[in-house]
Structure formats: structure tokens, C-alpha cells
Amino acid sequence: MTTISAKIDNTDKNLFETICTSMGINISAAINAFVKATIRENGLPFAMKATDDPYIYSEENMKILRKSINQIENGSGQVHELKEIPQ
């Protein structure tokens, strides 16, 4: 592991931290996700957005997402249709 240091506006840092917290992650996890996705996509990969839906970032759902990410990174993932979450 290594440390990356970046200078950003204090207001931006606080807003970013608030958004990360609302998604159930910390700044380090968000940056690591961005770095991994950038490497995988060989370019800027996606936009992460906060949500008011607590189900999306529930511990149960995050466990499923982590397992799926691990499978894809290990080459054993399968493409499938996503099911709509009932409202």
C-alpha cells in the first residue's frame, strides 16, 4: 500500500466526505474504487452519486456487491439481467 496526497478546497473535501458517508463508504474507499475502475476501463469510468435509498447501500447488498466485484476481477463473473427493486 502507498499513500496519495492531494490538495483540494476544504469545502469540497467536506462535501465529498458527506457524500461518501451517505453512501456508506469513506474517502479512502471512494478513491480506491475510482482508481481501480479507472485502471480497468483505461479512462474515467463512472460517476458515483449519493442516494436517499438505504437499501442500495445496506450491509446485505454491499456484501453481494463485493462478492460480485471479486468474481468479475477473478474472471469468474457472469453477465445477467438486473432485477428491479420494488418501490
Side-chain angles (χ1 to χ4, degrees), residues 60-75:
E60 177 184 359
N61 202 38
M62 293 305 291
K63 183 178 176 183
I64 294 167
L65 291 171
R66 284 190 288 271
K67 180 179 176 185
S68 296
I69 290 167
N70 191 25
Q71 289 173 338
I72 290 169
E73 287 176 344
N74 291 325

Side-chain angles (χ1 to χ4, degrees), residues 6-82:
K7 291 186 180 210
I8 61 171
D9 180 81
N10 192 50
T11 300
D12 290 345
K13 183 259 182 191
N14 291 334
L15 291 170
F16 181 63
E17 186 170 35
T18 298
I19 292 168
C20 290
T21 299
S22 76
M23 294 189 306
I25 61 175
N26 61 31
I27 289 175
S28 183
I31 292 170
N32 275 292
F34 177 74
V35 168
K36 292 281 190 185
T38 301
I39 292 166
R40 182 180 61 247
E41 297 296 323
N42 196 31
L44 297 179
F46 56 84
M48 294 178 69
K49 296 185 178 183
T51 179
D52 291 333
D53 184 350
Y55 172 78
I56 292 174
Y57 299 104
S58 69
E59 186 53 41
E60 177 184 359
N61 202 38
M62 293 305 291
K63 183 178 176 183
I64 294 167
L65 291 171
R66 284 190 288 271
K67 180 179 176 185
S68 296
I69 290 167
N70 191 25
Q71 289 173 338
I72 290 169
E73 287 176 344
N74 291 325
S76 63
Q78 294 181 356
V79 176
H80 58 85
E81 294 294 319
L82 297 176

